[in-house]
Every structure is written in structure tokens, then in C-alpha cells.
Amino acid sequence: MSTEHRIDDLLRPLAPQVVGVLTRRYGDFDAAEDAVQEALADAAAQWPEQGVPGNPRGWLIQVAARRMADLVRAEQARRRREDRAAGLEPADRWAAPAADADDAAGRDDTLTLLFLCCHPSLSRASAVALTLRSVGGLTTGEIARAFLVPEATMGQRISRAKQRIRSSGVPFGMPEEKDRAARLAAVLHVLYLIFNEGYATSDGAELRRVELSAEAIRLTRAVHATLPEDSEVAGLLALMLLTNARGAARAGPSGELIPLADQDRSRWDAAAIAEGVALVTAALPRGPVGPYQVQAAIAAVHDEAPTARETDWPQILALYGVLEQVSPSPVVSLNRAVAVAMVHGPAAGLEIVDELTGRGELKDHYRVHVVRGHLLERAGEPEAARQEYLRAAARTASLPERHYLTLRASALGARRDP
């Protein structure tokens, strides 16, 4: 591993800790977050040449505190706020610790910062962007590239999110007990969205954005370390590990999509599968059972099958039945249709898909056409399947998926017209 990668791996978990320290000390999340971003940039530029300091956290706090002081002085309103606060606090409270000294306020604020970035007043898109920047330590440019938007657009999105948090008057701290469960659910959902966008990119030419899925796993590990007894946190971490374990086998030599049934399972990450299975096995008996645990259990059944043919589809079907009870949604029903088809035949699965579309759910979503194409192909109706694959290809924004679906349609057409 290169020096740059080692330093990057060190900076990522330190970023939210330093933001937390400065936000608690100065009471200004917006300025603290900007100052820490500048300190991270300084570290990335200096440490490879000068070496990592003995107390990297203290170094970042000291540099970010100086940057924050510059930001505060640059705006008169913030300067007055600093002066008022300084009059109420001892002078040494406002001094940054020496770079080689242990920080007295040494607690890890990662979870608190996650709660703040996933505030209910924010849209999911804003929460995702702010989480990646403030907690993940990614730059605005990196986040913009990951989501295929101009850097200026992403910068405005992050700025508006911070302004909304500031205007809400929410103090920096853990939410009250009565709000904690709902706020934790929002945090987990944001991490789930980040992981999904990394593992199965919804737009553009890339099949995966490894940095996003890796960041989601890292942040979920941090939440799990803080809340080790929460079964849904464990379930989400297990789901990510079990799904990501297949990542290397999802793409062929040219980056083409390889579906689950055709993947080389020797390329799956056995260590990640073992960790994920252990997590969900321990979480399920603790309860209460939530959607992430059930999805992780489904992923575990897939991952533990030696071959696609040996997959325990009756167990997967039973688990989808549970998932429909605890977290009903059209997407869950669509996935259950595939399991039904594998157990009871394609006609039974198609009946469920027709019920969904008849109710107007997922109407014209490309995934509906993918599933219909797959089930029609299994039912021995190649022309109807070909048409569905073409409809799906026309509706997906992912170029690798479009390429795969177009090839499937072409193969069925060649079978029809030798």
C-alpha cells in the first residue's frame, strides 16, 4: 500500500472526530467543517513528505483551529460571536492543544456527527452529501465525481444542508431518547443509500464506485462499534459485507456486468462472508428483527451456496415473506416474485409481477422489465423476453446494465433467427 493510501486511511476516521471537537468547542458546525476540510488538505500535502506527526489527531485539531479562527475573523458576525463566547469561557478553553499533546476532549464524536448530518430537516440527497464530506472526509470534488454532478452543484448542495442545520438551531449532541430510534433509522438509511450507490451505481459508465461502498462499510463499522448491541446496526453491516463480498466477481475483464448466477464464486471474499454470517447469526436472536437483518440473512443464503444451482430458494422465499411483513414495499414484492419463480415456476412469479404493475406500482421501472424478461425467458418465451430486455435497456441510466440487457436481447434474437 502506498504512503498516500496509508495517510488517507488514517485521515478518514479522524475527520469526524476533529469536526466534533471543534463544533463542541466553538459551537459552529459550518465553520468547523470547512476548517477541518482545509486541515485535511494540508495533511494530505505535508505528511507524505514530512512524515505523520506523533499525535495526528492533535495536529489536525491545531491546524483546523487556526483555520477556523481565520474564517471567524473573516466575517464580522462570526467575530462578534467569538468575542461574546470568549468572554464567557476561560482563555485556555479557546487555545488549541499542542500537536504532540493528548486532547482533553478526547471522546469520539463520529456517531453524534452522523446524527447531525442525517437531520430530518434534510433531504436524503443532502444528507448523503453532507455525511460523505463531514463524516467521511471526502472532498466536495470527490463527492461530485461519485454522483456525476458538477463540483459547484455539489458544493451548493452541501452549503444549503449546513445552512439548514444552522437555522434549525439543533445543538451538537446526541438526540433525546424519544427521538433517538427514528434518528438512528435515518442514519442507517443514509449509509444504506451510500453503499448501494457504490456497489451498483445507478448512473454512468461505471459498474461500481468502490470508494463509496468502502466508505459506507467504514462508517457502519463505526456505528456498530458504538452501538454493538443494536441488532439492526449489526444487520446493516452484515448486509454490506455479504453483498460487497461478491463485488470483484460482478465484472468481467472489460468491466461488463456478470449476473449472480454466472459469477465465479472462488473470487468472492470468504473472510467478508464469514464476518457477515457471524454478525447476522448473532443479531437475529437478539431482536427485534428488522429489514436489514432479513436482507442480510437472504444475502447469507446466496453467499453460502457452493453453486447457483445449490441455492436454497425455499429458504430465500420464506425470508422474503418475513421481509414483506416487517418492511413491505413494491421492490421487496418484485424480488419475492423471483424467489417464487425459482420455487414454484416462472408462471407463479409472473403472476406477482402482473399484480404489481396492475396496481400501478413500479410502473415502467426498468427493474420490472428486467424481472419480466428473466421470467419469460425461463418460461420458454424468448421473443417476449427479448422485448422486455430491450424495454429495460432503454430505461436504465447505468451503461453496464444497458450493455448487458442489450446483449441478452441480441442473444435471444439470434436464437430466434439462426
Side-chain angles (χ1 to χ4, degrees):
M1 182 183 293
S2 67
T3 301
E4 288 78 7
H5 280 111
R6 286 198 301 271
I7 289 174
D8 190 54
D9 289 342
L10 175 62
L11 290 173
R12 289 279 168 84
L14 288 176
Q17 298 177 36
V18 179
V19 173
V21 168
L22 294 185
T23 303
R24 277 192 284 108
R25 180 175 292 162
Y26 300 116
D28 192 331
F29 165 66
D30 193 355
E33 202 274 335
D34 288 341
V36 170
Q37 286 292 320
E38 293 191 30
L40 292 172
D42 287 349
Q46 295 178 30
W47 292 3
E49 295 182 0
Q50 301 176 9
V52 177
N55 181 1
R57 187 172 186 264
W59 188 98
L60 289 170
I61 291 172
Q62 184 180 58
V63 172
R66 289 173 181 165
R67 294 287 185 274
M68 190 165 181
D70 293 340
L71 290 168
V72 170
R73 283 191 293 269
E75 297 183 30
Q76 191 63 30
R78 293 187 182 185
R79 183 176 182 178
R80 288 197 298 268
R81 188 184 312 130
E82 181 187 26
D83 292 341
R84 287 197 301 270
L88 299 174
E89 298 288 348
D92 60 355
R93 169 78 185 276
W94 295 90
D100 59 351
D102 291 332
D103 178 45
R107 69 175 184 261
D108 187 347
D109 289 300
T110 299
L111 185 59
T112 305
L113 197 59
L114 268 168
F115 275 115
L116 186 66
C117 291
C118 300
H119 189 268
S121 67
L122 300 181
S123 68
R124 284 292 181 256
S126 296
V128 165
L130 191 58
T131 297
L132 286 172
R133 176 169 157 126
S134 299
V135 190
L138 276 67
T139 66
T140 303
E142 288 173 327
I143 302 167
R145 287 191 294 274
F147 288 93
L148 301 180
V149 299
E151 184 171 348
T153 301
M154 185 57 69
Q156 290 171 358
R157 183 180 299 172
I158 292 171
S159 179
R160 285 194 299 268
K162 291 192 290 186
Q163 289 170 9
R164 186 176 290 272
I165 287 176
R166 184 169 61 246
S167 63
S168 72
V170 176
F172 183 74
M174 293 294 285
E176 295 182 11
E177 190 65 37
K178 63 183 178 63
D179 300 324
R180 196 165 296 180
R183 294 284 296 280
L184 178 60
V187 167
L188 298 184
H189 185 57
V190 166
L191 296 177
Y192 179 71
L193 292 175
I194 294 171
F195 175 81
N196 284 343
E197 185 59 30
Y199 183 77
T201 302
S202 61
D203 198 352
E206 299 296 324
L207 182 63
R208 303 168 63 204
R209 293 195 174 98
V210 176
E211 72 281 3
L212 287 183
S213 51
E215 191 58 27
I217 291 173
R218 185 186 74 79
L219 294 177
T220 307
R221 282 193 187 280
V223 179
H224 179 59
T226 307
L227 303 172
E229 299 304 315
D230 190 290
S231 55
E232 271 293 80
V233 174
L236 179 58
L237 179 56
L239 173 61
M240 291 179 179
L241 291 170
L242 291 163
T243 305
N244 203 56
R246 311 178 204 131
R250 285 188 70 229
S254 302
E256 68 274 17
L257 172 64
I258 301 177
L260 179 61
D262 298 333
Q263 290 174 15
D264 177 1
R265 299 186 177 215
S266 68
R267 298 183 64 198
W268 289 1
D269 187 337
I273 292 172
E275 183 182 1
V277 169
L279 279 166
V280 71
T281 301
L284 282 169
R286 288 202 303 263
V289 175
Y292 296 125
Q293 295 165 73
V294 181
Q295 291 179 72
I298 293 169
V301 176
H302 280 295
D303 286 9
E304 291 185 308
T307 65
R309 186 180 296 275
E310 295 172 89
T311 301
D312 189 347
W313 282 104
Q315 185 178 358
I316 290 176
L317 177 56
L319 287 167
Y320 270 118
V322 175
L323 187 57
E324 273 196 318
Q325 292 180 358
V326 300
S327 183
S329 77
V331 173
V332 172
S333 298
L334 186 64
N335 289 333
R336 188 175 72 85
V338 176
V340 167
M342 299 302 291
V343 176
H344 300 298
L350 284 165
E351 185 177 339
I352 295 174
V353 177
D354 289 342
E355 289 176 4
L356 282 171
T357 55
R359 295 196 298 264
E361 295 175 337
L362 297 176
K363 184 179 180 181
D364 265 353
H365 192 284
Y366 88 97
R367 282 279 299 150
V368 172
H369 297 292
V370 172
V371 171
R372 281 188 60 83
H374 172 66
L375 299 185
L376 286 166
E377 186 177 359
R378 289 181 60 85
E381 299 184 43
E383 178 55 25
R386 187 178 76 88
Q387 293 298 327
E388 292 293 345
Y389 286 140
L390 290 175
R391 293 186 185 100
R395 288 164 174 79
T396 181
S398 167
L399 295 183
E401 283 190 335
R402 183 181 304 166
H403 181 63
Y404 168 77
L405 292 166
T406 303
L407 287 177
R408 290 296 310 145
S410 298
L412 290 174
R415 189 186 308 172
R416 181 195 63 181
D417 300 316

